[in-house]
Amino acid sequence: MKSETIALLNFMKESKQLEIPIYQRTYSWEKENCEQLWEDIVQIGKAEADEFEPEHFVGTVIYIEKRNGQARYVIDGQQRLTTAALIIEALAQFNEANREEIGASAEELRRRFLFDPTKMGDAAHKLLLSQTDKETLMALVAQEEVPENYSIRIHDNFSLFKRKIRRALKRERAAIWRGLNRLTMISIALDQSQDQEVPQRVFESMNDRGVELDNADLILHYLLMGLSPIEQRQLYDAHWLPIENMFGQTEAGFDQEAYSKHFDDFIRYYLGKENRSLPTRAKMYDAFKTYANKQEDIQTLMEIIQTFAGYYSTMKLGREEKPLLKAAFDDLQRLNANTPMPFLLELYERYADYSTYSVMLPRSQFQAMKARMGLLTLEQFEEIVRLIESYLVRRDVCGLSRSSSFFASICRSIGNERLVENLSDLFRSQTVTTKRFPKNDEFQMELQTRKLYGTSICAYILRRMENYGREEPLNLDDYDVEPILPTELPLSREWQEELGINWREAHEEFAGTLGNMTLTKGARYLADRPFAHKRDLETGYRNSRLWLNELPGKAQRWDAAAIRERTEVLTERALEVWQTA
């Protein structure tokens, strides 16, 4: 290992090629990071030189020198190197457009720091990024259209620097170049012979130095670090790139933040399924290493992770193609139901295997395999998902918290035969408060008496009951929960008369309950208006197309008796929608 203090631009210029390994995180600097570096560059560029040239330290770059001396693998420092490259290309394009030579001509800037015209292909680029960043930076340097799936961060930060340079005064642009030349860093070269141990420890220690690494970064690095570059590329292209596209690709390009979030959630639930225990987010990487060390080989492990990532994205990101299952998964998403995911991953595997083997094997062999492996039909899977939904809704209505570990703990607990019945039996057998399935009498009582207004479950219940049984569900995203009888005091004289002499008691008992809730557009504008006004508006209850508004639309007054009647109707439907185990 050797280290030295060196100017950032000199390091870039003397490096024949700086390559970001494919297991490294993508470029992740946000606008705030770029603004800070830009301000530092301008300030140090404007500083007067005295006996010593002013300098600004920007951190450390750690790399492994390839044995052939033609490239350096960057282990740490790509964020600063990439940002410097974006500023240099922005300067080069400004020079070309305005016939200026800030630092040097556009051609010379690119030749020194970005592109070697004497070489071909990837070898010509002095900074070779990974994944979607690579093609985007190449396109910018070549002044070509960015690819369809471009890197949002690369593109947006480059545009930021172009705007800043264009708006700067001429003397300020000169200061920018001086500032770039005054950026210094420490370069640390690791011994190539230690490339399977030292870089791994360095990479993991970056979290301890305050550099936030996503679990996706750490896990990919852990899986690929000990392999040859050719093996790394093959496994990345075959198994990891599809995962990145599942979780991070958007219409606007690759979204690193979305990828990191979805991958973190997925791998946590996957480990929960495998270990029957959900790891904390702080311990996810350690849990993954323990799990990975028990697997036979890296390729098989990556194939499995890719497969289950596909199941996860299908359920979680709305990609299910079967309408019956899609509706069930979408309802779980609206319910914000994440805790069942370890169990759902196991179930989806059984369902996917049913779909695969049912067309591959003769009927007799398939039936034997179905019984032996506990494969699920589409209808069985949908029934189980709806049972899980009932479990969660009932617990929410009854004020019982969702256990983060329950569904992970029951993975592989329902056997291979009578799957739906076994799950029902398992639910019924739970007696402790953190796990039990509320029975009909408790659920009914809570629906009728609990103050559900203002809770997250209230809107879900109303929307789900409204669309229950409809062949074509209504889009209710624009509808808000509205208490028919206002929930806040003081009540207007009209509402006091509506409720009668015991209006205070009636308001206390019914105002926040389900029987008094409905869905309307523009609920905030109705607020405390008299009942007849709400009912008879052109957009009021009487003219509403919603089932929820049938009784309010027909009612002559909205008092305790009317609310009780509607409560019974809503409760009856709720018991039909969310059935007991």
Side-chain angles (χ1 to χ4, degrees), residues 342-529:
F343 188 50
L344 290 172
L345 286 171
E346 177 182 329
L347 297 178
Y348 206 103
E349 180 184 30
R350 297 185 182 209
Y351 164 66
D353 286 346
Y354 180 97
S355 302
T356 300
Y357 293 124
S358 63
V359 297
M360 288 177 54
L361 300 176
R363 181 175 177 80
S364 59
Q365 291 183 23
F366 170 68
Q367 291 299 328
M369 175 174 283
K370 178 177 180 293
R372 186 173 67 254
M373 297 177 62
L375 305 186
L376 282 171
T377 66
L378 183 150
E379 291 76 17
Q380 287 175 317
F381 194 10
E382 191 264 351
E383 188 175 353
I384 288 177
V385 174
R386 289 303 183 190
L387 185 58
I388 291 171
E389 180 199 0
S390 290
Y391 173 78
L392 295 171
V393 169
R394 285 175 174 242
R395 287 186 63 84
D396 284 355
V397 168
C398 295
L400 302 172
S401 63
R402 298 179 184 180
S403 170
S404 62
S405 59
F406 173 62
F407 283 100
S409 70
I410 66 172
C411 287
R412 298 190 293 276
S413 295
I414 61 171
N416 293 333
E417 298 182 26
R418 299 178 64 255
L419 300 174
V420 179
E421 294 84 351
N422 286 349
L423 181 59
S424 295
D425 291 343
L426 189 149
F427 275 138
R428 284 194 296 270
S429 70
Q430 306 302 314
T431 57
V432 296
T433 302
T434 56
K435 298 178 181 179
R436 65 183 179 83
F437 195 124
K439 296 180 180 178
N440 281 347
D441 54 353
E442 180 184 6
F443 184 47
Q444 182 172 347
M445 181 185 69
E446 295 294 339
L447 283 169
Q448 293 174 346
T449 61
R450 182 174 287 272
K451 305 297 191 290
L452 292 175
Y453 181 61
T455 65
S456 58
I457 193 64
C458 185
Y460 178 80
I461 287 175
L462 293 172
R463 291 186 176 117
R464 178 84 164 87
M465 287 198 299
E466 177 60 45
N467 275 324
Y468 180 71
R470 288 184 182 271
E471 291 186 7
E472 295 186 13
L474 301 175
N475 183 349
L476 299 171
D477 293 342
D478 295 334
Y479 286 75
D480 299 313
V481 176
E482 183 217 348
I484 302 171
L485 163 64
T487 57
E488 295 184 5
L489 295 174
L491 284 184
S492 66
R493 180 176 300 172
E494 291 90 343
W495 271 110
Q496 292 179 27
E497 293 175 355
E498 189 83 26
L499 292 174
I501 190 169
N502 296 319
W503 66 267
R504 289 184 184 276
E505 292 80 359
H507 183 270
E508 172 63 27
E509 182 176 354
F510 295 112
T513 62
L514 185 66
N516 186 49
M517 300 299 137
T518 191
L519 294 174
T520 60
K521 287 187 176 180
R524 71 187 69 174
Y525 301 110
L526 296 175
D528 60 352
R529 300 288 181 87

Side-chain angles (χ1 to χ4, degrees), residues 28-37 153 157 160-161 163-164:
S28 60
W29 265 24
E30 298 181 358
K31 180 181 178 182
E32 292 75 15
N33 304 110
C34 294
E35 293 273 12
Q36 183 61 61
L37 180 61
R153 294 279 171 80
N157 290 347
L160 171 69
F161 291 130
R163 289 195 303 272
K164 287 186 173 294

